[in-house]
Amino acid sequence: MAADSPVVSIIMPAYNAAAFIAESIESVLHQTYTHFQLIVVDDGSQDATAAIAEGYAATDPRIQVIRCSNSGKPSIARNIGIGHASGDYLSFLDSDDYWLPERLARTVAGMRAHPEWIAVFHDLDLVDSAGAKLGPTYLENSRFLDAASDYLRALGEDWYDCGERFFVFMSLLYAAVHTQSIIVDRHQAGRDLLRFDEDYIICEDTDLWLRLALAGRLGYLDSVLSCYRQHPTSITKKALLFAEQALLFHENNYARVHARMSEHERRAYRHKIADYRSVLAYHCYRGGQARRARTLSLQVFMVRRCYGDLLLSAKTLIPLDAQQRIRTLLRK
């Protein structure tokens, strides 16, 4: 097969994905739109991930495999892939997820029909490890069309223009964009913008989508074009990290968007950030970081004026083991 000049560059970071990467690559190869390059960035896998990808690359010149030492951050692997991209558009697919055959054709058509858009995104199905569908779609779960109706303009054929102030919706409610649902105009975005912030451990994708929304207009296609695999994980062990990263992201985002918001919107965002700070305070408290929890809960009180935040602050003065002993005595 002769290599075509790629229109879309697809970045696939991969780490120990031998169980799923073949299905992910096959979903790209089965696209009805064929003018793409697939860049697989193996992030120091210790299984057969790289070998499987290189097997496909040996038979299809559109596939390139880059091996690197393990970074521990998908953002780094994705940025390496971006550095090797040559297509007009950029898209992402994780090595355990997969696309439906019309995914590239429909999103590329939308981008070409609307050169004012810096990116478009679509809905996706949530599936289990075996690929079985899990309930409503990603955006049905959050009633996206209803929640974002003030920002969306229907264009027909399931397409919507998200409007110049869609970044407000993304900041105050939720990002809506998923990593495997977006396709970006590389020329509109530019090299400096189109990079993931490697300082984040998580939230680096949401950070980039919001920066894109601030730089240009987004389009939305209300159609399921991919599948996002859900694996059983131990969220409890990572709860503190997730809370820290979510708060950091929103604090950073507030700093860049507040000047473009109304006072009502800024107040709403400050309250949202206070909610994230409260969640972090709770996890700090449960993790034995009493002083940090106390500081955070007092900061939350200054915004929300909720006496429950003062109660948490007061509780941090009593060690957890002492509280347990008190509760035991009271039950007797």
Side-chain angles (χ1 to χ4, degrees):
M1 182 187 297
D4 293 324
S5 176
V7 174
V8 185
S9 295
I10 304 159
I11 310 302
M12 180 182 289
Y15 175 69
N16 288 351
F20 301 107
I21 193 169
E23 184 177 7
S24 299
I25 293 174
E26 290 282 353
S27 78
V28 175
L29 296 179
H30 287 110
Q31 291 296 300
T32 58
Y33 188 87
T34 60
H35 302 287
F36 61 80
Q37 66 174 160
L38 172 60
I39 303 169
V40 180
V41 183
D42 180 71
D43 194 24
S45 294
Q46 298 177 351
D47 62 4
T49 296
I52 293 170
E54 287 169 345
Y56 281 99
T59 61
D60 194 321
R62 296 172 299 176
I63 302 175
Q64 176 184 2
V65 180
I66 301 169
R67 290 198 185 210
C68 57
S69 58
N70 181 249
S71 66
K73 293 182 179 180
S75 58
I76 295 177
R78 291 190 185 115
N79 284 340
I80 291 172
I82 291 171
H84 287 78
S86 58
D88 295 324
Y89 305 117
L90 192 65
S91 204
F92 304 91
L93 178 62
D94 284 348
S95 54
D96 57 348
D97 300 326
Y98 53 96
W99 286 342
L100 303 187
E102 294 291 326
R103 195 269 177 181
L104 284 182
R106 296 189 69 185
T107 55
V108 168
M111 292 293 283
R112 286 179 164 169
H114 297 275
E116 73 276 15
W117 287 344
I118 195 170
V120 304
F121 66 102
H122 56 78
D123 202 359
L124 48 92
D125 271 333
L126 305 176
V127 300
D128 65 16
S129 296
K133 184 175 178 180
L134 299 171
T137 70
Y138 180 68
L139 290 177
E140 283 175 347
N141 272 329
S142 54
R143 300 179 59 85
F144 172 66
L145 288 180
D146 290 336
S149 60
D150 290 343
Y151 302 87
L152 303 177
R153 179 169 61 91
L155 303 176
E157 298 183 337
D158 295 324
W159 279 104
Y160 294 81
D161 182 280
C162 296
E164 294 180 355
R165 291 180 55 75
F166 189 63
F167 72 89
V168 176
F169 174 85
M170 297 174 75
S171 299
L172 296 184
L173 281 90
Y174 50 89
V177 180
H178 190 280
T179 303
Q180 63 152 285
S181 76
I182 197 168
I183 184 168
V184 184
D185 186 324
R186 289 181 62 234
H187 306 296
Q188 270 209 66
R191 181 177 299 177
D192 293 338
L193 174 60
L194 198 47
R195 287 187 62 80
F196 293 91
D197 187 337
E198 296 175 5
D199 288 337
Y200 287 109
I201 300 173
I202 58 175
C203 298
E204 79 288 342
D205 47 357
T206 304
D207 170 73
L208 179 53
W209 314 147
L210 256 153
R211 286 189 280 120
L212 288 171
L214 285 165
R217 300 173 76 94
L218 303 183
Y220 170 64
L221 176 59
D222 188 34
S223 182
V224 171
L225 296 177
S226 58
C227 295
Y228 176 43
R229 209 182 296 270
Q230 307 285 282
H231 300 287
T233 57
S234 178
I235 298 298
T236 302
K237 294 181 180 179
K238 298 182 179 180
L240 178 61
L241 173 64
F242 287 176
E244 288 175 331
Q245 290 282 293
L247 176 59
L248 176 64
F249 161 71
H250 282 291
E251 288 177 333
N252 290 343
N253 189 55
Y254 181 84
R256 67 185 166 213
V257 304
H258 76 278
R260 295 174 60 175
M261 287 180 160
S262 68
E263 179 51 39
H264 174 74
E265 291 165 343
R266 286 194 290 269
R267 183 176 183 275
Y269 203 178
R270 288 193 295 270
H271 276 257
K272 177 175 180 175
I273 291 171
D275 290 340
Y276 278 97
R277 190 171 282 119
S278 178
V279 171
L280 178 56
Y282 171 78
H283 288 298
C284 287
Y285 170 64
R286 297 296 301 172
Q289 301 180 34
R291 180 176 297 179
R292 188 182 182 196
R294 186 157 56 250
T295 299
L296 287 164
S297 58
L298 287 173
Q299 291 171 346
V300 173
F301 175 75
M302 296 305 295
V303 175
R304 300 195 308 195
R305 299 294 177 177
C306 173
Y307 286 98
D309 300 315
L310 284 182
L311 178 60
L312 175 59
S313 182
K315 287 176 67 175
T316 63
L317 296 171
I318 307 173
L320 284 173
D321 57 347
Q323 292 184 41
Q324 181 61 46
R325 289 196 297 270
I326 292 171
R327 284 193 292 267
T328 300
L329 289 172
L330 290 175
R331 286 196 295 267
K332 290 181 177 180

